[in-house]
Amino acid sequence: MGTPAARIADLLEGATTASNPPARPPPPTPEESPRTDGPTVNIIVIWGDLAEVAADLHVTGHYQSVVPAAAELALDRAISVGPRQLITEHTKLGWVDAQLGEVTYFPCKGGAVRSAAVVGMGPMGTLTERRAVQMYASLLGEAVALGHVATMATVLIGAGTGNLSVNQATRALVRGFAGALAPLGPQTPPPRLTEVYVVEVDRLRAEQLHLALAKAAAKLPQLRIGPELREESGGRLFAPSAAVYALAALTRLAGPAGAGAGVAAPEGAPEGAPEGAPDGGPDPPPAEEEALRTVLAGFDPNIRGKIREQLALLAEVQRTDLSLTVGRSVEGPEGSVPVRMSVQSGVGGLRWAALTGRATVPERLVPVEMGLLRELVDRLTEPSVEDARELPDLLSRFVVPPDFQRLLTDDATVLLELDRDTASVPWEFLAEIQQAGGERRDPLAIRTQLSRQLRTPYSRVMSEGLSDGPLRALVIGDPGDPEKGFQLPGARAEALAVATRLKDLGVKVTLFVGAANSVRQPGVDPARRLDVLRVLLCGGNHIVHYCGHSDFDFSGTGRRSGWVFADGLLTAQELALLERPPLIVVANACYTARLGGSTGPGPGTGAGAGTGTGPGTGTGAGSQAGPPGVADQTPWGNPQAALVPSLADEFLRMGVGHYIGAAWRIPDEQGVTFAQQFYTHLFTGGSSEAASTVGSAVRTARRKLYEQRAGGQQDADAASNGQRWSAWAAYQHYGDAADPFVRPDASDRPGGS
């Protein structure tokens, strides 16, 4: 066989051989090389953990608004003290701008990492090889200019969770570094920075990186690539690399038999063939042949000969002998790297980008006819049973790029980064694309943790962490004016049930129920706006739970949204001076459309949380036309769809960590069920080693409603059935699904629930 030999590293890069034709056109020819005179820098490839390699400066890449993962997360943990991770916190607060090539520094606590920084990669999905050259040039130029940095440790930025292949990223590194060194010229005093460590935690990728760097820098004397791969602590062998090494070892078993496989009779030859040479080749050692037969036994006889031929091709692989123990990963969906999708409205449609633990998918533009999307959003906002069953598949096909649809699995947490327009879409309905006749799977938000993040131009305020004392919660129910038709018995019942459950879980609860002019709840203070504001500003509450109406208010400058009280609207604007915002806000609040000047229905027809089946409810104001201008604030034309993102935006701006809101009216008992399931899991659902996450608590509560969607009163009308069927999808979670919730100390928790 005349097939060119393939190296181990090439197996992950798609080496072009006779049996492996190119899957895509080769990269463009690089531009003219930079100057070749001036100072030099040694580049040493290290197999190990970045945080355990000693250097004067440690650097990773950072996408705009993307919380650290992989190497950046390891660096974040290495420099942080206590539960708060510094780079992660700064990212969530919007303090890391991450423009391309911008370097942001962080203080360190000592140890192997003495000084840390991140270099901006721009928005995810936009890092091309040309932009990566600029990024690397900026990084090295800054490190050289510092004057005190002699050694810098980094990773191959842009290839771990980036747009680029290893070869593309190494070319960018080499050209960027050479370009930064060339202007210094031969007469310039040599910089103190003489060594750059490029660290890779996976062994096979480290070999691939070393080969690629040596090839890319072969004609650039400014850069000297270390002749050998250096091994330090923390190196690992991940499953794909282990598979390649296993195949390389298996080729040895093919032996001479494999070499003859290309001209021999295929597997399943006549019975007269020699026992030791079923493929017609020379007899291999019996033990090796038995092992090979065991491997091939599970394959169709028609392709066994082809497998032997491929193994023979792999026999030419350049191997590295390793003595390693490889175990199966035990990380489940909650422990894996989140899939982060960005969906932004733009000219001509929706712009998508995706970042996973393996790669970033560059931006895709999905042409969307806004009239159709407007109708789809309207029909999926408080949908009928039929629409809730049939339209999610259309949503996934209509607006999700085809190569993004494969990411909609339950292998990892999904975080959707949205703007104010795309946040109006009920993404919780996303589902895998169904093939004709295929089995329908549960929606994505039921199978995994799905949360949202709003892309905004402002920074959140820094909030304190939870104290060591007991957790406190503020619960507000049915605060609207009954004389204006805002009385909600279901919301009142939910507030009482939530307060009872939180008390059972060891939380100190402040409860306000009903307006001052409504029927009083014995032993409970009425929900006056001023009293609620006092407790919010002075009470140090970790959790706020609201059940009632919400609305937009255009009476002032700009559009505000907030919670409806008998004496006015309570918005985040009133909470601007709050020094310690709540960690979690849960709002079962529905659009009412009566504060902006529109005429609402009379008393006894109020809508909102808990209005599906409770007494004293009617058609609901959620279906009324909004005040002039509300529909114009979103391309979907549905003020109900725009309400939860608007409320979340205001409260997140104030510094709230998580906002969980219902996007349409929820039947009474289902609102209570969601709240009880959410808080129970939040406080008791984690393992003994780790706290529960907010995202897992939301998923647990959604799943409970999903399982109960076909139940309920037999005489409920079609609209109520629709509310029941889709209630699980109404709850939107804004925040990081992976955020752990610090529960009370064991001494404060009840013995059981």
Side-chain angles (χ1 to χ4, degrees):
M1 293 175 293
T3 303
R7 293 181 172 180
I8 288 178
D10 295 329
L11 296 177
L12 294 186
E13 277 296 298
T16 300
T17 64
S19 60
N20 183 27
R24 56 186 177 183
T29 304
E31 301 172 357
E32 183 181 355
S33 299
R35 291 171 50 185
T36 58
D37 54 356
T40 61
V41 167
N42 299 317
I43 300 178
I44 300 170
V45 180
I46 295 178
W47 177 42
D49 188 332
L50 176 68
E52 299 180 25
V53 175
D56 295 331
L57 177 65
H58 285 68
V59 184
T60 64
H62 185 87
Y63 282 113
Q64 286 181 351
S65 304
V66 176
V67 295
E72 187 184 8
L73 180 58
L75 183 63
D76 195 7
R77 290 169 175 165
I79 69 174
S80 302
V81 178
R84 173 175 287 171
Q85 293 171 357
L86 196 59
I87 302 177
T88 299
E89 190 71 21
H90 280 223
T91 301
K92 292 180 179 179
L93 296 172
W95 293 350
V96 183
D97 196 22
Q99 296 291 334
L100 185 70
E102 181 182 55
V103 182
T104 305
Y105 296 91
F106 294 90
C108 299
K109 61 182 180 182
V113 182
R114 297 190 289 270
S115 180
V118 295
V119 59
M121 302 167 69
M124 65 179 185
T126 63
L127 188 68
T128 63
E129 184 174 344
R130 183 183 298 274
R131 286 170 61 84
V133 171
Q134 301 172 15
M135 176 193 68
Y136 277 114
S138 175
L139 171 61
L140 188 69
E142 180 123 357
V144 168
L146 289 175
H148 65 278
V149 174
T151 57
M152 179 175 71
T154 185
V155 293
L156 188 60
I157 300 171
T161 51
N163 299 324
L164 311 177
S165 69
V166 170
N167 285 334
Q168 289 175 314
T170 51
R171 287 198 302 265
L173 182 150
V174 164
R175 292 187 56 78
F177 278 12
L181 292 172
L184 298 179
Q187 306 302 322
T188 305
R192 183 171 182 189
L193 178 64
T194 56
E195 290 189 340
V196 174
Y197 306 137
V198 184
V199 185
E200 172 56 53
V201 70
D202 179 62
R203 175 56 185 255
L204 185 57
R205 280 178 59 86
E207 291 185 11
Q208 180 186 9
L209 170 58
H210 185 260
L211 292 170
L213 278 172
K215 178 180 178 181
K219 297 181 180 180
L220 295 176
Q222 302 104 316
L223 304 176
R224 298 174 181 172
I225 310 302
E228 296 181 353
L229 186 70
R230 182 190 298 181
E231 179 178 341
E232 296 200 13
S233 62
R236 297 173 62 188
L237 190 68
F238 295 105
S241 301
V244 173
Y245 280 114
L247 284 174
L250 188 59
T251 59
R252 302 173 187 175
L253 300 180
V263 295
E267 192 75 17
E271 295 182 0
E275 176 67 19
D279 294 318
D283 292 347
E288 294 182 354
E289 176 60 24
E290 181 62 28
L292 187 56
R293 283 177 178 275
T294 301
V295 172
L296 297 179
F299 293 95
D300 188 294
N302 295 326
I303 65 171
R304 290 178 188 168
K306 297 179 180 179
I307 294 176
R308 282 182 177 269
E309 181 180 355
Q310 295 304 311
L311 290 176
L313 293 176
L314 284 172
E316 299 297 327
V317 167
Q318 184 181 39
R319 294 185 292 269
T320 298
D321 292 328
L322 292 175
S323 178
L324 294 171
T325 300
V326 182
R328 185 174 69 87
S329 174
V330 297
E331 288 187 347
E334 296 183 15
S336 55
V337 177
V339 173
R340 187 184 188 97
M341 291 187 178
S342 171
V343 192
Q344 311 295 324
S345 58
V347 178
L350 302 181
R351 295 191 176 275
W352 288 73
L355 176 65
T356 72
R358 298 173 183 167
T360 289
V361 181
E363 282 191 348
R364 302 281 189 268
L365 175 64
V366 178
V368 174
E369 205 286 304
M370 286 302 172
L372 288 173
L373 186 55
R374 180 192 302 265
E375 181 180 355
L376 181 59
V377 170
D378 286 347
R379 288 178 59 177
L380 281 176
T381 301
E382 196 170 328
S384 66
V385 173
E386 181 180 2
D387 284 347
R389 282 174 170 168
E390 303 301 331
L391 293 183
D393 188 60
L394 175 61
L395 174 68
S396 301
R397 292 177 184 270
F398 184 40
V399 300
V400 181
D403 52 345
F404 282 43
Q405 292 168 1
R406 61 183 174 80
L407 302 177
L408 302 180
T409 69
D410 50 4
D411 293 335
T413 295
V414 176
L415 176 61
L416 298 174
E417 182 184 89
L418 311 168
D419 58 26
R420 287 287 290 267
D421 289 338
T422 57
S424 298
V425 179
W427 299 107
E428 287 68 24
F429 277 116
L430 280 176
E432 288 187 54
I433 300 299
Q434 299 296 317
Q435 302 301 324
E439 181 181 356
R440 188 187 297 269
R441 295 192 67 191
D442 291 340
L444 183 66
I446 299 300
R447 302 198 316 270
T448 191
Q449 302 178 42
L450 184 148
S451 62
R452 299 165 168 233
Q453 182 177 0
L454 283 172
R455 175 175 286 189
T456 54
Y458 54 79
S459 298
R460 283 174 47 200
V461 299
M462 176 68 81
S463 59
E464 299 179 17
L466 295 177
S467 65
D468 296 332
L471 271 79
R472 294 179 175 85
L474 170 62
V475 180
I476 309 157
D478 189 24
D481 188 347
E483 296 180 2
K484 298 179 181 179
F486 288 100
Q487 190 168 8
L488 297 174
R492 182 176 297 222
E494 178 181 336
L496 294 172
V498 167
T500 299
R501 187 66 188 123
L502 287 173
K503 290 177 182 177
D504 291 342
L505 292 167
V507 182
K508 186 175 181 181
V509 177
T510 301
L511 176 63
F512 295 107
V513 173
N517 60 339
S518 68
V519 177
R520 298 289 298 277
Q521 196 71 32
V524 180
D525 291 333
R528 297 184 180 94
R529 189 169 54 149
L530 187 62
D531 292 334
V532 169
L533 183 62
R534 171 184 57 82
V535 174
L536 278 169
L537 292 178
C538 307
N541 295 282
H542 308 91
I543 297 171
V544 175
H545 191 106
Y546 175 85
C547 319
H549 287 291
S550 291
D551 201 357
F552 297 101
D553 184 7
F554 291 89
S555 59
T557 57
R559 183 183 70 172
R560 293 191 303 154
S561 56
W563 297 336
V564 176
F565 285 74
D567 53 345
L569 196 69
L570 180 66
T571 72
Q573 177 175 307
E574 283 73 52
L575 307 178
L577 299 179
L578 184 59
E579 295 181 358
R580 186 176 181 183
L583 174 63
I584 298 173
V585 172
V586 180
N588 199 354
C590 196
Y591 177 63
T592 187
R594 294 189 215 171
L595 295 184
S598 64
T599 302
T605 59
T611 61
T613 60
T617 63
T619 59
S623 61
Q624 303 297 315
V630 172
D632 297 333
Q633 303 299 316
T634 169
W636 326 125
N638 189 326
Q640 175 66 68
L643 181 61
V644 175
S646 179
L647 287 167
D649 193 19
E650 294 202 33
F651 280 92
L652 292 174
R653 181 185 315 197
M654 184 184 67
V656 170
H658 300 267
Y659 189 93
I660 301 162
W664 55 82
R665 296 175 296 172
I666 303 299
D668 298 339
E669 70 275 15
Q670 289 192 294
V672 173
T673 298
F674 180 91
Q676 291 183 333
Q677 290 290 319
F678 172 75
Y679 292 121
T680 298
H681 183 90
L682 195 66
F683 284 90
T684 64
S687 66
S688 57
E689 293 82 14
S692 301
T693 65
V694 180
S696 66
V698 172
R699 180 182 60 174
T700 298
R702 282 179 182 150
R703 183 186 293 125
K704 187 66 174 180
L705 296 187
Y706 185 76
E707 293 169 350
Q708 296 179 345
R709 64 192 185 282
Q713 300 177 1
Q714 297 300 319
D715 59 346
D717 58 19
S720 181
N721 282 334
Q723 292 170 358
R724 174 177 297 282
W725 189 268
S726 60
W728 64 269
Y731 285 96
Q732 300 177 358
H733 172 207
Y734 290 85
D736 187 349
D739 265 0
F741 180 77
V742 181
R743 297 168 291 179
D745 295 335
S747 59
D748 294 328
R749 277 186 283 161
S753 58

